[in-house]
Amino acid sequence: MKTIIIGGVAGGASAAARLRRLDEASDIIILERGEFVSFANCGLPYYIGGTITNREALTLQTPESFRNRFRINVRVLSEAVKIDPSAKTVTVKNLRTGETYEEAYDNLILSPGAEPIKPDIDGAGSDTVFTLRNIPDTLKIKSYINTARPKSAVVVGGGYIGVEMAENLAEAGLDVSIVELADHLIASLDFDMAADVHRYIKQKGIKLYLKNGVTAIRNNTVILENGELVADMVIMSVGVRPETSLAKACGIIVNSRGSIIVDSEMRTSIPNIYAVGDAVEVKDFITGNPAFIPLAGPANKQGRIAADNIAGYKSQYTGTQGSSVLKLFDMTIATTGLSEKSAKAAGIAYDKTYTYSGSHASYYPGASNMSIKVLWDQTTHKLLGAQIVGFDGVDKRMDVIAAAIRLGAKVTDLAALELCYAPPFGSAKDPVNMAGFVAENVISGKIKQFFWHDVESLPGDGSVTLLDVRTKAETAGGMIDGFINIPLDSLRENLHQIPKDKPVYLHCHSGLRSYIACRILAANGFDCYNLAGGWRLYESVINERTVPEYICTGCR
């Protein structure tokens, strides 16, 4: 049995190693057009920024190590230029010599990945304009920084790679700007959760030009739809598309985007040809709809599944939920499942909560708060997605929620999870539990919510009571127009000031104290609504900044 794998990164390398573990006798060949195999795509920005100093650390395997450990024949600088499914052959071009030859196969795995989108704009081909996909791209950027000594850079595109590149260029000493066509960074976030990211990244000295696009690059001037920037170098990071020209040429069915259509066993439309990784159309785990979600974790799993099925072990890919995490200086940003935007696009009726919880016990030094947004199905209460922005401990909370989604949990199940606790690591009521507690209160009717985007539509004619239950010191930093202040701790003594025949809309800093206030009011016959996420979220979204947090016991 002979298997040829086209593409030696992520899914391709994973498929090769798995197949060898399952079948010692198979003849396995990896064809890689580039010079390197099994390299760490996700680590490339950190080599540019200097966090990773050893270039060899980016290469997880070499042709020699594949040969020595797995007896896999890895051919770098070998480009597959044609597939003949009827003859079951691949035409290969040796990029060193220009020689072309044919290689027969019993099974073929395509893992060509995705390529950076290069906008068709004047100047995009300049020597000072770069994209980042592989190690040669990385070395080219690093060499330019070391030799040309650029002082400024523009990153075009505010997705994960764009933001990581902005951070690492800043770490390398450059003055950095990000230009993004959308109204916020990181498409998997909703705008309200991105607001904290915007504020933080600007504090770090990176300038943002949102709802703006690049129309041309002339010398060292980047021409925008609105304005222009001077930059010594430009990083194009406007997204990727599946690199599937080879697949299309041999008759494999692709979708309108160009992604290869595969079944759950990673088989393409042509027998004995499989496809994995960023080049394939996946099923969204939440909605079941076709999707393009290029991530390293799913690519590796798909490679393993293709190898299983070739070796005779039944294995299926059940979908991609888009779990991802991003480091931005000291900040951590993580998402999984659906955002509000994607839930609306899928036509799903959902509800949501916002919580603001400490990374560990507040009395243990070093605790910092994280913002958590959770979405769930209004009918079934199943978790749909989550977004977390914070610092310490964000990744492990998102991993818990991502696992819960994969296992079909309801949002209320988060309240029941028994998670590890010690003061340096968490709280007895973990942030994940807190998200579950709040959702449980909403679903059971113990609390009614309104949201930051509802505030401007609240009537100002006196037909409702608008109440701020923060302390006097907190309100000195700003208040929402029309709200009156009665601090929580004096609320019971001032109930007579609040008309009972009008709904009460109230807030505190994050929603916790105003929940307590709502329970007090409800027990006294009031109809009460709590601002989800509180003043902190509202102010952050409206102004992309928050007032300084006050140091006081119990302020949330």
PDB file of all heavy atoms in Angstrom, residues 62-94:
ATOM      1  N   THR A  62      12.088  17.330  10.581  1.00  0.00           N
ATOM      2  CA  THR A  62      12.848  17.533   9.356  1.00  0.00           C
ATOM      3  C   THR A  62      12.687  16.294   8.485  1.00  0.00           C
ATOM      4  O   THR A  62      12.252  15.235   8.975  1.00  0.00           O
ATOM      5  CB  THR A  62      14.342  17.735   9.663  1.00  0.00           C
ATOM      6  OG1 THR A  62      14.867  16.517  10.232  1.00  0.00           O
ATOM      7  CG2 THR A  62      14.556  18.903  10.606  1.00  0.00           C
ATOM      8  N   PRO A  63      13.031  16.379   7.200  1.00  0.00           N
ATOM      9  CA  PRO A  63      12.999  15.163   6.380  1.00  0.00           C
ATOM     10  C   PRO A  63      13.806  14.023   7.006  1.00  0.00           C
ATOM     11  O   PRO A  63      13.392  12.861   6.962  1.00  0.00           O
ATOM     12  CB  PRO A  63      13.614  15.626   5.058  1.00  0.00           C
ATOM     13  CG  PRO A  63      13.256  17.074   4.975  1.00  0.00           C
ATOM     14  CD  PRO A  63      13.356  17.578   6.380  1.00  0.00           C
ATOM     15  N   GLU A  64      14.932  14.378   7.618  1.00  0.00           N
ATOM     16  CA  GLU A  64      15.778  13.352   8.228  1.00  0.00           C
ATOM     17  C   GLU A  64      15.106  12.717   9.439  1.00  0.00           C
ATOM     18  O   GLU A  64      15.154  11.486   9.617  1.00  0.00           O
ATOM     19  CB  GLU A  64      17.124  13.957   8.636  1.00  0.00           C
ATOM     20  CG  GLU A  64      18.005  14.415   7.486  1.00  0.00           C
ATOM     21  CD  GLU A  64      17.508  15.684   6.806  1.00  0.00           C
ATOM     22  OE1 GLU A  64      16.806  16.478   7.491  1.00  0.00           O
ATOM     23  OE2 GLU A  64      17.790  15.869   5.603  1.00  0.00           O
ATOM     24  N   SER A  65      14.470  13.547  10.281  1.00  0.00           N
ATOM     25  CA  SER A  65      13.826  12.981  11.477  1.00  0.00           C
ATOM     26  C   SER A  65      12.621  12.131  11.103  1.00  0.00           C
ATOM     27  O   SER A  65      12.349  11.110  11.739  1.00  0.00           O
ATOM     28  CB  SER A  65      13.422  14.098  12.443  1.00  0.00           C
ATOM     29  OG  SER A  65      12.403  14.928  11.899  1.00  0.00           O
ATOM     30  N   PHE A  66      11.882  12.541  10.063  1.00  0.00           N
ATOM     31  CA  PHE A  66      10.776  11.711   9.575  1.00  0.00           C
ATOM     32  C   PHE A  66      11.315  10.356   9.088  1.00  0.00           C
ATOM     33  O   PHE A  66      10.718   9.312   9.336  1.00  0.00           O
ATOM     34  CB  PHE A  66      10.039  12.411   8.435  1.00  0.00           C
ATOM     35  CG  PHE A  66       8.808  13.167   8.855  1.00  0.00           C
ATOM     36  CD1 PHE A  66       8.733  14.540   8.715  1.00  0.00           C
ATOM     37  CD2 PHE A  66       7.708  12.501   9.391  1.00  0.00           C
ATOM     38  CE1 PHE A  66       7.602  15.244   9.098  1.00  0.00           C
ATOM     39  CE2 PHE A  66       6.576  13.195   9.769  1.00  0.00           C
ATOM     40  CZ  PHE A  66       6.516  14.572   9.627  1.00  0.00           C
ATOM     41  N   ARG A  67      12.417  10.408   8.381  1.00  0.00           N
ATOM     42  CA  ARG A  67      12.994   9.173   7.850  1.00  0.00           C
ATOM     43  C   ARG A  67      13.492   8.276   8.975  1.00  0.00           C
ATOM     44  O   ARG A  67      13.234   7.061   8.999  1.00  0.00           O
ATOM     45  CB  ARG A  67      14.153   9.521   6.903  1.00  0.00           C
ATOM     46  CG  ARG A  67      14.803   8.313   6.247  1.00  0.00           C
ATOM     47  CD  ARG A  67      13.870   7.663   5.258  1.00  0.00           C
ATOM     48  NE  ARG A  67      14.458   6.465   4.666  1.00  0.00           N
ATOM     49  CZ  ARG A  67      13.788   5.627   3.899  1.00  0.00           C
ATOM     50  NH1 ARG A  67      12.520   5.862   3.609  1.00  0.00           N
ATOM     51  NH2 ARG A  67      14.371   4.562   3.402  1.00  0.00           N
ATOM     52  N   ASN A  68      14.208   8.848   9.916  1.00  0.00           N
ATOM     53  CA  ASN A  68      14.820   8.051  10.976  1.00  0.00           C
ATOM     54  C   ASN A  68      13.794   7.418  11.901  1.00  0.00           C
ATOM     55  O   ASN A  68      13.927   6.257  12.290  1.00  0.00           O
ATOM     56  CB  ASN A  68      15.793   8.917  11.786  1.00  0.00           C
ATOM     57  CG  ASN A  68      16.983   9.356  10.966  1.00  0.00           C
ATOM     58  OD1 ASN A  68      17.329   8.725   9.967  1.00  0.00           O
ATOM     59  ND2 ASN A  68      17.620  10.448  11.381  1.00  0.00           N
ATOM     60  N   ARG A  69      12.780   8.205  12.268  1.00  0.00           N
ATOM     61  CA  ARG A  69      11.822   7.676  13.246  1.00  0.00           C
ATOM     62  C   ARG A  69      10.679   6.906  12.605  1.00  0.00           C
ATOM     63  O   ARG A  69      10.221   5.900  13.151  1.00  0.00           O
ATOM     64  CB  ARG A  69      11.262   8.825  14.091  1.00  0.00           C
ATOM     65  CG  ARG A  69      10.230   8.387  15.112  1.00  0.00           C
ATOM     66  CD  ARG A  69      10.053   9.387  16.210  1.00  0.00           C
ATOM     67  NE  ARG A  69      11.286   9.542  16.986  1.00  0.00           N
ATOM     68  CZ  ARG A  69      11.410  10.387  18.012  1.00  0.00           C
ATOM     69  NH1 ARG A  69      10.408  11.148  18.375  1.00  0.00           N
ATOM     70  NH2 ARG A  69      12.555  10.477  18.661  1.00  0.00           N
ATOM     71  N   PHE A  70      10.192   7.407  11.456  1.00  0.00           N
ATOM     72  CA  PHE A  70       8.980   6.828  10.877  1.00  0.00           C
ATOM     73  C   PHE A  70       9.203   6.114   9.542  1.00  0.00           C
ATOM     74  O   PHE A  70       8.258   5.526   9.009  1.00  0.00           O
ATOM     75  CB  PHE A  70       7.927   7.930  10.672  1.00  0.00           C
ATOM     76  CG  PHE A  70       7.465   8.593  11.945  1.00  0.00           C
ATOM     77  CD1 PHE A  70       7.839   9.890  12.241  1.00  0.00           C
ATOM     78  CD2 PHE A  70       6.666   7.908  12.848  1.00  0.00           C
ATOM     79  CE1 PHE A  70       7.420  10.504  13.408  1.00  0.00           C
ATOM     80  CE2 PHE A  70       6.242   8.514  14.016  1.00  0.00           C
ATOM     81  CZ  PHE A  70       6.616   9.819  14.297  1.00  0.00           C
ATOM     82  N   ARG A  71      10.418   6.176   9.028  1.00  0.00           N
ATOM     83  CA  ARG A  71      10.683   5.618   7.695  1.00  0.00           C
ATOM     84  C   ARG A  71       9.712   6.187   6.671  1.00  0.00           C
ATOM     85  O   ARG A  71       9.154   5.488   5.833  1.00  0.00           O
ATOM     86  CB  ARG A  71      10.609   4.091   7.718  1.00  0.00           C
ATOM     87  CG  ARG A  71      11.630   3.429   8.609  1.00  0.00           C
ATOM     88  CD  ARG A  71      13.072   3.766   8.179  1.00  0.00           C
ATOM     89  NE  ARG A  71      14.056   3.015   8.949  1.00  0.00           N
ATOM     90  CZ  ARG A  71      14.653   3.459  10.052  1.00  0.00           C
ATOM     91  NH1 ARG A  71      14.354   4.673  10.518  1.00  0.00           N
ATOM     92  NH2 ARG A  71      15.541   2.732  10.685  1.00  0.00           N
ATOM     93  N   ILE A  72       9.503   7.494   6.733  1.00  0.00           N
ATOM     94  CA  ILE A  72       8.666   8.225   5.782  1.00  0.00           C
ATOM     95  C   ILE A  72       9.577   8.984   4.834  1.00  0.00           C
ATOM     96  O   ILE A  72      10.532   9.644   5.262  1.00  0.00           O
ATOM     97  CB  ILE A  72       7.703   9.181   6.519  1.00  0.00           C
ATOM     98  CG1 ILE A  72       6.645   8.384   7.299  1.00  0.00           C
ATOM     99  CG2 ILE A  72       7.021  10.137   5.531  1.00  0.00           C
ATOM    100  CD1 ILE A  72       5.803   9.235   8.231  1.00  0.00           C
ATOM    101  N   ASN A  73       9.288   8.894   3.560  1.00  0.00           N
ATOM    102  CA  ASN A  73      10.081   9.540   2.516  1.00  0.00           C
ATOM    103  C   ASN A  73       9.552  10.963   2.313  1.00  0.00           C
ATOM    104  O   ASN A  73       8.504  11.160   1.707  1.00  0.00           O
ATOM    105  CB  ASN A  73       9.982   8.727   1.227  1.00  0.00           C
ATOM    106  CG  ASN A  73      10.837   9.290   0.104  1.00  0.00           C
ATOM    107  OD1 ASN A  73      11.438  10.360   0.224  1.00  0.00           O
ATOM    108  ND2 ASN A  73      10.887   8.573  -1.006  1.00  0.00           N
ATOM    109  N   VAL A  74      10.278  11.936   2.822  1.00  0.00           N
ATOM    110  CA  VAL A  74       9.881  13.341   2.705  1.00  0.00           C
ATOM    111  C   VAL A  74      10.702  13.993   1.608  1.00  0.00           C
ATOM    112  O   VAL A  74      11.937  14.011   1.667  1.00  0.00           O
ATOM    113  CB  VAL A  74      10.086  14.099   4.032  1.00  0.00           C
ATOM    114  CG1 VAL A  74       9.693  15.564   3.867  1.00  0.00           C
ATOM    115  CG2 VAL A  74       9.254  13.467   5.147  1.00  0.00           C
ATOM    116  N   ARG A  75      10.012  14.555   0.624  1.00  0.00           N
ATOM    117  CA  ARG A  75      10.693  15.211  -0.497  1.00  0.00           C
ATOM    118  C   ARG A  75      10.338  16.697  -0.485  1.00  0.00           C
ATOM    119  O   ARG A  75       9.233  17.084  -0.880  1.00  0.00           O
ATOM    120  CB  ARG A  75      10.276  14.571  -1.819  1.00  0.00           C
ATOM    121  CG  ARG A  75      10.551  13.077  -1.888  1.00  0.00           C
ATOM    122  CD  ARG A  75      10.030  12.472  -3.178  1.00  0.00           C
ATOM    123  NE  ARG A  75      10.128  11.019  -3.152  1.00  0.00           N
ATOM    124  CZ  ARG A  75       9.645  10.219  -4.088  1.00  0.00           C
ATOM    125  NH1 ARG A  75       9.046  10.744  -5.176  1.00  0.00           N
ATOM    126  NH2 ARG A  75       9.763   8.905  -3.984  1.00  0.00           N
ATOM    127  N   VAL A  76      11.241  17.514   0.008  1.00  0.00           N
ATOM    128  CA  VAL A  76      11.016  18.961  -0.006  1.00  0.00           C
ATOM    129  C   VAL A  76      11.400  19.508  -1.375  1.00  0.00           C
ATOM    130  O   VAL A  76      12.057  18.836  -2.179  1.00  0.00           O
ATOM    131  CB  VAL A  76      11.802  19.666   1.121  1.00  0.00           C
ATOM    132  CG1 VAL A  76      11.305  19.206   2.482  1.00  0.00           C
ATOM    133  CG2 VAL A  76      13.298  19.420   0.978  1.00  0.00           C
ATOM    134  N   LEU A  77      10.980  20.756  -1.622  1.00  0.00           N
ATOM    135  CA  LEU A  77      11.197  21.390  -2.922  1.00  0.00           C
ATOM    136  C   LEU A  77      10.723  20.482  -4.050  1.00  0.00           C
ATOM    137  O   LEU A  77      11.323  20.411  -5.128  1.00  0.00           O
ATOM    138  CB  LEU A  77      12.667  21.768  -3.105  1.00  0.00           C
ATOM    139  CG  LEU A  77      13.198  22.818  -2.110  1.00  0.00           C
ATOM    140  CD1 LEU A  77      14.692  23.004  -2.262  1.00  0.00           C
ATOM    141  CD2 LEU A  77      12.467  24.146  -2.290  1.00  0.00           C
ATOM    142  N   SER A  78       9.606  19.785  -3.766  1.00  0.00           N
ATOM    143  CA  SER A  78       8.991  18.878  -4.730  1.00  0.00           C
ATOM    144  C   SER A  78       7.532  19.265  -4.876  1.00  0.00           C
ATOM    145  O   SER A  78       6.731  19.037  -3.961  1.00  0.00           O
ATOM    146  CB  SER A  78       9.113  17.427  -4.270  1.00  0.00           C
ATOM    147  OG  SER A  78      10.467  17.036  -4.207  1.00  0.00           O
ATOM    148  N   GLU A  79       7.201  19.855  -6.010  1.00  0.00           N
ATOM    149  CA  GLU A  79       5.855  20.379  -6.229  1.00  0.00           C
ATOM    150  C   GLU A  79       5.004  19.403  -7.039  1.00  0.00           C
ATOM    151  O   GLU A  79       5.395  18.990  -8.145  1.00  0.00           O
ATOM    152  CB  GLU A  79       5.918  21.715  -6.954  1.00  0.00           C
ATOM    153  CG  GLU A  79       4.545  22.340  -7.179  1.00  0.00           C
ATOM    154  CD  GLU A  79       4.623  23.689  -7.867  1.00  0.00           C
ATOM    155  OE1 GLU A  79       5.716  24.060  -8.344  1.00  0.00           O
ATOM    156  OE2 GLU A  79       3.577  24.369  -7.938  1.00  0.00           O
ATOM    157  N   ALA A  80       3.838  19.041  -6.474  1.00  0.00           N
ATOM    158  CA  ALA A  80       2.865  18.250  -7.228  1.00  0.00           C
ATOM    159  C   ALA A  80       2.190  19.185  -8.223  1.00  0.00           C
ATOM    160  O   ALA A  80       1.553  20.164  -7.832  1.00  0.00           O
ATOM    161  CB  ALA A  80       1.845  17.640  -6.293  1.00  0.00           C
ATOM    162  N   VAL A  81       2.344  18.899  -9.519  1.00  0.00           N
ATOM    163  CA  VAL A  81       1.809  19.804 -10.538  1.00  0.00           C
ATOM    164  C   VAL A  81       0.584  19.236 -11.238  1.00  0.00           C
ATOM    165  O   VAL A  81      -0.135  19.971 -11.922  1.00  0.00           O
ATOM    166  CB  VAL A  81       2.888  20.167 -11.574  1.00  0.00           C
ATOM    167  CG1 VAL A  81       3.992  20.973 -10.924  1.00  0.00           C
ATOM    168  CG2 VAL A  81       3.456  18.926 -12.261  1.00  0.00           C
ATOM    169  N   LYS A  82       0.337  17.932 -11.078  1.00  0.00           N
ATOM    170  CA  LYS A  82      -0.820  17.339 -11.728  1.00  0.00           C
ATOM    171  C   LYS A  82      -1.201  16.044 -11.024  1.00  0.00           C
ATOM    172  O   LYS A  82      -0.321  15.283 -10.592  1.00  0.00           O
ATOM    173  CB  LYS A  82      -0.515  17.048 -13.213  1.00  0.00           C
ATOM    174  CG  LYS A  82      -1.683  16.454 -13.979  1.00  0.00           C
ATOM    175  CD  LYS A  82      -1.280  16.144 -15.425  1.00  0.00           C
ATOM    176  CE  LYS A  82      -2.432  15.485 -16.185  1.00  0.00           C
ATOM    177  NZ  LYS A  82      -2.042  15.115 -17.577  1.00  0.00           N
ATOM    178  N   ILE A  83      -2.512  15.816 -10.922  1.00  0.00           N
ATOM    179  CA  ILE A  83      -3.034  14.554 -10.405  1.00  0.00           C
ATOM    180  C   ILE A  83      -3.846  13.896 -11.517  1.00  0.00           C
ATOM    181  O   ILE A  83      -4.701  14.534 -12.133  1.00  0.00           O
ATOM    182  CB  ILE A  83      -3.932  14.779  -9.164  1.00  0.00           C
ATOM    183  CG1 ILE A  83      -3.140  15.442  -8.034  1.00  0.00           C
ATOM    184  CG2 ILE A  83      -4.547  13.466  -8.690  1.00  0.00           C
ATOM    185  CD1 ILE A  83      -4.017  15.952  -6.894  1.00  0.00           C
ATOM    186  N   ASP A  84      -3.569  12.620 -11.768  1.00  0.00           N
ATOM    187  CA  ASP A  84      -4.361  11.848 -12.734  1.00  0.00           C
ATOM    188  C   ASP A  84      -5.108  10.773 -11.960  1.00  0.00           C
ATOM    189  O   ASP A  84      -4.551   9.702 -11.673  1.00  0.00           O
ATOM    190  CB  ASP A  84      -3.441  11.215 -13.784  1.00  0.00           C
ATOM    191  CG  ASP A  84      -4.221  10.511 -14.892  1.00  0.00           C
ATOM    192  OD1 ASP A  84      -5.410  10.185 -14.670  1.00  0.00           O
ATOM    193  OD2 ASP A  84      -3.634  10.276 -15.962  1.00  0.00           O
ATOM    194  N   PRO A  85      -6.375  11.026 -11.584  1.00  0.00           N
ATOM    195  CA  PRO A  85      -7.110  10.060 -10.763  1.00  0.00           C
ATOM    196  C   PRO A  85      -7.336   8.719 -11.459  1.00  0.00           C
ATOM    197  O   PRO A  85      -7.381   7.673 -10.793  1.00  0.00           O
ATOM    198  CB  PRO A  85      -8.442  10.765 -10.501  1.00  0.00           C
ATOM    199  CG  PRO A  85      -8.165  12.217 -10.713  1.00  0.00           C
ATOM    200  CD  PRO A  85      -7.150  12.257 -11.805  1.00  0.00           C
ATOM    201  N   SER A  86      -7.494   8.728 -12.784  1.00  0.00           N
ATOM    202  CA  SER A  86      -7.748   7.468 -13.479  1.00  0.00           C
ATOM    203  C   SER A  86      -6.511   6.572 -13.462  1.00  0.00           C
ATOM    204  O   SER A  86      -6.612   5.349 -13.290  1.00  0.00           O
ATOM    205  CB  SER A  86      -8.196   7.731 -14.920  1.00  0.00           C
ATOM    206  OG  SER A  86      -7.214   8.486 -15.619  1.00  0.00           O
ATOM    207  N   ALA A  87      -5.342   7.158 -13.645  1.00  0.00           N
ATOM    208  CA  ALA A  87      -4.105   6.383 -13.599  1.00  0.00           C
ATOM    209  C   ALA A  87      -3.559   6.256 -12.172  1.00  0.00           C
ATOM    210  O   ALA A  87      -2.621   5.475 -11.932  1.00  0.00           O
ATOM    211  CB  ALA A  87      -3.056   7.031 -14.493  1.00  0.00           C
ATOM    212  N   LYS A  88      -4.126   7.038 -11.245  1.00  0.00           N
ATOM    213  CA  LYS A  88      -3.672   7.102  -9.849  1.00  0.00           C
ATOM    214  C   LYS A  88      -2.183   7.451  -9.779  1.00  0.00           C
ATOM    215  O   LYS A  88      -1.379   6.759  -9.174  1.00  0.00           O
ATOM    216  CB  LYS A  88      -3.980   5.802  -9.105  1.00  0.00           C
ATOM    217  CG  LYS A  88      -5.475   5.529  -8.990  1.00  0.00           C
ATOM    218  CD  LYS A  88      -5.790   4.243  -8.288  1.00  0.00           C
ATOM    219  CE  LYS A  88      -5.585   4.333  -6.796  1.00  0.00           C
ATOM    220  NZ  LYS A  88      -6.103   3.128  -6.093  1.00  0.00           N
ATOM    221  N   THR A  89      -1.879   8.581 -10.449  1.00  0.00           N
ATOM    222  CA  THR A  89      -0.505   9.075 -10.428  1.00  0.00           C
ATOM    223  C   THR A  89      -0.481  10.561 -10.097  1.00  0.00           C
ATOM    224  O   THR A  89      -1.451  11.285 -10.324  1.00  0.00           O
ATOM    225  CB  THR A  89       0.196   8.881 -11.791  1.00  0.00           C
ATOM    226  OG1 THR A  89      -0.510   9.624 -12.797  1.00  0.00           O
ATOM    227  CG2 THR A  89       0.281   7.416 -12.159  1.00  0.00           C
ATOM    228  N   VAL A  90       0.640  11.004  -9.571  1.00  0.00           N
ATOM    229  CA  VAL A  90       0.914  12.417  -9.320  1.00  0.00           C
ATOM    230  C   VAL A  90       2.155  12.795 -10.124  1.00  0.00           C
ATOM    231  O   VAL A  90       3.171  12.095 -10.063  1.00  0.00           O
ATOM    232  CB  VAL A  90       1.161  12.697  -7.825  1.00  0.00           C
ATOM    233  CG1 VAL A  90       1.508  14.159  -7.609  1.00  0.00           C
ATOM    234  CG2 VAL A  90      -0.051  12.315  -6.992  1.00  0.00           C
ATOM    235  N   THR A  91       2.037  13.879 -10.876  1.00  0.00           N
ATOM    236  CA  THR A  91       3.208  14.408 -11.572  1.00  0.00           C
ATOM    237  C   THR A  91       3.920  15.386 -10.645  1.00  0.00           C
ATOM    238  O   THR A  91       3.306  16.316 -10.116  1.00  0.00           O
ATOM    239  CB  THR A  91       2.806  15.113 -12.877  1.00  0.00           C
ATOM    240  OG1 THR A  91       2.097  14.182 -13.701  1.00  0.00           O
ATOM    241  CG2 THR A  91       4.033  15.609 -13.617  1.00  0.00           C
ATOM    242  N   VAL A  92       5.220  15.151 -10.452  1.00  0.00           N
ATOM    243  CA  VAL A  92       5.991  15.916  -9.472  1.00  0.00           C
ATOM    244  C   VAL A  92       7.122  16.653 -10.183  1.00  0.00           C
ATOM    245  O   VAL A  92       7.810  16.088 -11.036  1.00  0.00           O
ATOM    246  CB  VAL A  92       6.595  14.980  -8.398  1.00  0.00           C
ATOM    247  CG1 VAL A  92       7.294  15.793  -7.311  1.00  0.00           C
ATOM    248  CG2 VAL A  92       5.518  14.084  -7.801  1.00  0.00           C
ATOM    249  N   LYS A  93       7.305  17.911  -9.801  1.00  0.00           N
ATOM    250  CA  LYS A  93       8.413  18.709 -10.335  1.00  0.00           C
ATOM    251  C   LYS A  93       9.440  18.936  -9.234  1.00  0.00           C
ATOM    252  O   LYS A  93       9.125  19.451  -8.165  1.00  0.00           O
ATOM    253  CB  LYS A  93       7.906  20.050 -10.857  1.00  0.00           C
ATOM    254  CG  LYS A  93       9.009  20.901 -11.475  1.00  0.00           C
ATOM    255  CD  LYS A  93       8.446  22.197 -12.044  1.00  0.00           C
ATOM    256  CE  LYS A  93       9.549  23.026 -12.698  1.00  0.00           C
ATOM    257  NZ  LYS A  93       9.014  24.295 -13.259  1.00  0.00           N
ATOM    258  N   ASN A  94      10.667  18.508  -9.497  1.00  0.00           N
ATOM    259  CA  ASN A  94      11.763  18.758  -8.576  1.00  0.00           C
ATOM    260  C   ASN A  94      12.207  20.210  -8.762  1.00  0.00           C
ATOM    261  O   ASN A  94      12.763  20.567  -9.808  1.00  0.00           O
ATOM    262  CB  ASN A  94      12.923  17.794  -8.872  1.00  0.00           C
ATOM    263  CG  ASN A  94      14.055  17.931  -7.887  1.00  0.00           C
ATOM    264  OD1 ASN A  94      14.378  19.027  -7.432  1.00  0.00           O
ATOM    265  ND2 ASN A  94      14.689  16.811  -7.556  1.00  0.00           N
TER     266      ASN A  94
END
